[in-house]
Amino acid sequence: MKFIYYLLLLLFISQTCLGQEINLDTRMSEARHEAEIGNYDKALSLIQPLLVGFPENEEMKIFAGRVYSWKKEYKKSIDILTPLTDRTNPNPDALLAIINTYFWSEQFDKCILYCDQYLVIEPNSTDVIITKAKCLEKLGRDKEALAIVDKVSVTDNSTQAITGLRTLIGRKAKNAMAFSYLNVSTSNPGQSPLHYGYVEYSHKFTKSALVGRANLGYANNDTQMLFEADYYQTFSKRNYLYVNGGVSTGQTIFPVAKAGAEYFFAPRKRFDYSLGFKYMHFETDDVTLLTGQLGYRAGSYTLAYRPFYDTSNELFSHVLSVQTSNEEKESLIRLEFQYGNVPYLYLYNNFVTPLKAYRVGIQYQNRFGGSFFVRPVFLYEYEEYLPDEYRNRFSAQLIITKRF
């Protein structure tokens, strides 16, 4: 009889434990589902009785700590997770959870300490190494951050994060040098090619930037120079102002003097827009261009329209562009369709007449390493150089920029 009694008692205990285990798994599954859809309070209410009934269950504690961090209640999350991390044998999952909590709460020094603690256990954890590098970048320790990511074994999952971090650090560079060469040639009928080039230096301040540029032009056996400066000033709410001014050593290839300004308004949802003008003083005439831009952004693509109105000659020109860019790689491809005597860079003079011109252009930018940029530009124009007489015009430019 005793054997049967103990057998029944064991069976009862086993069934009770099994029932509790099933109930625990069901509750945890429901709580995870609620957390996944953003119902954090509901998830916490489901596991709260389990935390009381199973105080030694670390998996539930870690889950609760994560939910509180997702709710941005970082102190509660840290209070739950710390006993599991600050002990002789820390729980690895708890370490991962508290690393995220400290990172999201922008306590980067603390986050680094726990990253180091986890890397003792898993020294090749790419995610934790990248998180540590991000913390170093936030603290202004850029060289340390780059040294860490340079040692990471690149995988499909880590490439984007590493590239984005390098881009973020690279954009902090205060200085840049740029070199450009532009060749303009024509056919049917043809004329001697025009040659242009410039050297440019730019420096960024906290909320502004200053650019100095020396342009050299060669046309019709004559060489002239144009010295100009650009100034950018950022205001609140992402508005900024662009101002340009310059003087030259001649009157034909470049204007004697030039000035311009354009105000870029803060983007509104997917739209951005600007208003501005360009003024060019020649020896015998002045040219004033009114301009602006309206852009629409959809993902990585931007569709933009920019008109130019020549007030002296009462001429309208139009530019429609489509651009796709990769912010992390700092690369872009831009396609332009233009109609009218559209000014490309400084190639605009006072010999403008109301003739037609159709242009299509493409340009591409690619970054090499973290600081070299190469941008080739090609433009084809079908221009009316005399009334009802057309010719082909080709413009090829290469711009190389070094950021430091």
Side-chain angles (χ1 to χ4, degrees), residues 261-311:
E262 188 162 357
Y263 192 84
F264 293 81
F265 298 88
R268 298 201 174 191
K269 295 183 178 180
R270 295 186 176 183
F271 291 91
D272 56 69
Y273 53 100
S274 68
L275 292 173
F277 76 95
K278 297 177 184 292
Y279 169 78
M280 285 163 282
H281 168 64
F282 294 91
E283 188 176 21
T284 59
D285 195 8
D286 294 335
V287 175
T288 300
L289 299 173
L290 303 181
T291 187
Q293 179 168 292
L294 176 63
Y296 175 78
R297 289 171 283 104
S300 62
Y301 288 87
T302 301
L303 177 66
Y305 167 69
R306 177 179 286 275
F308 290 92
Y309 180 66
D310 185 335
T311 59

Side-chain angles (χ1 to χ4, degrees), residues 74-85:
Y74 302 120
K75 187 178 184 306
K76 289 184 178 180
S77 174
I78 292 168
D79 289 342
I80 292 173
L81 296 170
T82 299
L84 306 179
T85 59

Side-chain angles (χ1 to χ4, degrees), residues 299-365:
S300 62
Y301 288 87
T302 301
L303 177 66
Y305 167 69
R306 177 179 286 275
F308 290 92
Y309 180 66
D310 185 335
T311 59
S312 302
N313 298 287
E314 297 184 352
L315 294 175
F316 255 116
S317 299
H318 311 272
V319 181
L320 182 66
S321 65
V322 181
Q323 177 175 299
T324 178
S325 58
N326 185 314
E327 291 293 326
E328 289 161 351
K329 295 182 178 180
E330 296 184 280
S331 63
L332 64 85
I333 300 176
R334 179 184 177 91
L335 186 64
E336 292 183 349
F337 303 93
Q338 307 170 359
Y339 169 73
N341 295 87
V342 181
Y344 177 65
L345 295 179
Y346 30 70
L347 307 184
Y348 201 84
N349 54 48
N350 58 332
F351 301 112
V352 175
T353 56
L355 301 175
K356 300 181 181 68
Y358 306 88
R359 183 186 297 165
V360 61
I362 187 170
Q363 56 182 288
Y364 169 72
Q365 175 176 285

